[in-house]
């Protein structure tokens, strides 16, 4: 009879027992995103902001654009997420392999008790979150941002604001980990802030 130790030893080298690594999971999404970006995706600017006199892509337009990524095995869900008193839109990119990538966008409204302003802020966060995780161009200053900000000022990027207000390297690292994927502008800002804090 074959010894148990030999059976266990042989079992260990079976390739089917090898766990899927995080690197493999990340590669699946990266490959699909690369193919999606080769199509030069861009959300159609189907709305006009009368206050800033500019065109912008609505949430519906952004959703229609990112749904074309389904041909490469990508889809998404968006739901509310909470951390203490802070509310986020949690965007989950999903690949047909089962791999996922998560990004959170803070909901910013000067009057969260006003349903219209809060609803507009949520729509803005959804649109921004989708454009960010799929690597589409950043949204223009739009009416959702205007309504969400009572004084009518252009909406600010909550991630950029968090970076600028960070008081330590540890806080910067937490911002970086919690808001992937980062835009090029956010990366440049966080590098500059890190240099400032290290002085």
């Amino acid at each position: 009879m074959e010894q148990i130790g030999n059976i266990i030893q042989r079992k260990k080298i079976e390739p089917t027992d090898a766990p899927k690594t995080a690197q493999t999971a990340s590669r699946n999404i990266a490959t699909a995103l690369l193919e999606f970006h080769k199509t030069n995706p861009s959300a159609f600017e189907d709305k006009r902001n009368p206050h800033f006199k500019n065109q912008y892509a609505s949430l519906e337009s952004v959703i229609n654009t990112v749904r074309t990524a389904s041909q490469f095995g990508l889809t998404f869900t968006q739901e509310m997420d909470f951390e203490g008193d802070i509310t986020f839109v949690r965007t989950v990119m999903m690949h047909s392999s089962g791999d996922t990538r998560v990004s959170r966008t803070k909901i910013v409204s000067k009057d969260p008790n006003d349903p219209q302003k809060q609803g507009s802020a949520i729509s803005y966060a959804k649109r921004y979150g989708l454009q960010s995780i799929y690597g589409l161009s950043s949204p223009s200053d739009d009416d959702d941002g205007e309504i969400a900000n009572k004084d009518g000022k252009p909406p600010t990027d909550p991630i950029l604001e968090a970076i600028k207000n960070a008081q330590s390297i540890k806080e910067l690292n937490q911002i970086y980990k919690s808001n992937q994927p980062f835009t090029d502008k956010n990366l440049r800002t966080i590098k500059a802030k890190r240099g400032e804090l290290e002085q």
Side-chain angles (χ1 to χ4, degrees), residues 3-185:
Q3 293 184 357
I4 294 177
N6 292 336
I7 295 175
I8 295 174
Q9 197 171 39
R10 189 175 70 245
K11 182 69 174 174
K12 285 182 180 178
I13 64 173
E14 289 291 340
T16 54
D17 290 338
K20 182 168 63 174
T21 65
Q23 184 178 5
T24 303
S26 178
R27 189 182 304 121
N28 289 332
I29 291 179
T31 300
L33 269 178
L34 176 61
E35 294 304 312
F36 174 54
H37 289 163
K38 285 180 180 179
T39 68
N40 295 316
S42 178
F44 177 66
E45 295 184 340
D46 58 341
K47 297 289 184 180
R48 180 171 177 78
N49 183 340
H51 182 80
F52 295 105
K53 296 182 172 60
N54 67 321
Q55 297 290 123
Y56 70 94
S58 66
L59 175 59
E60 181 181 8
S61 178
V62 173
I63 288 176
N64 288 338
T65 301
V66 300
R67 278 181 176 164
T68 64
S70 63
Q71 62 187 303
F72 306 113
L74 293 175
T75 189
F76 71 92
T77 61
Q78 289 187 299
E79 56 191 30
M80 303 296 289
D81 196 5
F82 304 91
E83 186 175 314
D85 296 331
I86 303 176
T87 309
F88 301 86
V89 167
R90 184 172 182 265
T91 303
V92 182
M93 175 190 286
M94 299 177 290
H95 187 258
S96 55
S97 63
D99 302 332
T100 60
R101 177 178 292 178
V102 180
S103 177
R104 296 196 305 175
T105 306
K106 184 179 178 181
I107 297 171
V108 181
S109 175
K110 288 202 169 184
D111 188 1
N113 294 318
D114 184 316
Q116 183 180 9
K117 290 185 176 66
Q118 183 70 350
S120 296
I122 291 171
S123 294
Y124 180 79
K126 283 185 173 182
R127 184 166 64 255
Y128 189 94
L130 270 182
Q131 289 186 299
S132 177
I133 202 168
Y134 274 87
L136 302 180
S137 57
S138 297
S140 305
D141 297 335
D142 52 45
D143 55 356
D144 280 345
E146 181 185 350
I147 294 174
N149 290 273
K150 188 177 180 181
D151 54 11
K153 293 180 180 179
T156 57
D157 180 345
I159 300 175
L160 280 177
E161 290 300 306
I163 293 171
K164 291 175 182 177
N165 295 325
Q167 300 298 312
S168 66
I169 298 296
K170 182 178 179 180
E171 189 175 350
L172 275 184
N173 290 337
Q174 184 59 43
I175 293 170
Y176 180 77
K177 291 178 182 178
S178 302
N179 295 281
Q180 290 296 320
F182 252 44
T183 63
D184 289 341
K185 184 176 181 180

Side-chain angles (χ1 to χ4, degrees), residues 179-196:
N179 295 281
Q180 290 296 320
F182 252 44
T183 63
D184 289 341
K185 184 176 181 180
N186 287 345
L187 281 173
R188 288 193 299 270
T189 305
I190 202 169
K191 286 179 181 178
K193 184 66 176 183
R194 180 183 293 274
E196 178 185 321

